[in-house]
Amino acid sequence: MFVKTVIRQGEKILQQDKQIKDLQKENNFLYQENKENRSTIEDLEDYKRHSSIVHKDIEKQLLELQNINRLGNSEEDKNIMRNKIINQIIKELADSKSN
């Protein structure tokens, strides 16, 4: 009877060891997945901040573009100023797209 009890306890210990190893593998997998998710979240937050900055800059440039009509300059000068602003906007959008 004592031998049977020892054998059963040994079997239980082996089962628990196997369960612990399985849980450790799952824990390591989840740790790695969380690490990757944190990195992705940081990247998205950086992209969000950058997008907000670009949005504000373009908004300012569009307001400048709108204000050009109110200036007392010639149409040729206004067109030159408009083209500069439009080119800046295009460049900024291209730069933000490449990042």
Side-chain angles (χ1 to χ4, degrees), residues 39-98:
S39 177
T40 301
I41 288 171
E42 289 174 6
D43 290 345
L44 289 173
E45 288 296 324
D46 288 344
Y47 179 75
K48 184 179 172 183
R49 279 190 292 277
H50 180 70
S51 295
S52 177
I53 291 168
V54 169
H55 174 81
K56 288 177 185 177
D57 287 347
I58 290 176
E59 189 175 310
K60 287 178 191 176
Q61 290 170 336
L62 289 173
L63 289 173
E64 288 177 27
L65 193 60
Q66 190 177 29
N67 288 332
I68 288 174
N69 286 335
R70 297 185 186 130
L71 297 175
N73 297 351
S74 70
E75 278 303 312
E76 187 177 336
D77 289 342
K78 288 180 185 180
N79 283 335
I80 291 171
M81 294 169 78
R82 286 185 195 112
N83 287 337
K84 284 181 183 179
I85 291 174
I86 290 170
N87 288 336
Q88 287 174 347
I89 291 171
I90 291 170
K91 182 182 181 303
E92 195 163 340
L93 287 174
D95 289 346
S96 69
K97 187 175 183 180
S98 66

Side-chain angles (χ1 to χ4, degrees), residues 26-41:
E26 184 179 355
N27 186 39
N28 287 337
F29 173 77
L30 291 173
Y31 174 80
Q32 196 63 27
E33 185 178 29
N34 285 338
K35 185 178 177 182
E36 292 168 7
N37 288 339
R38 282 190 299 273
S39 177
T40 301
I41 288 171

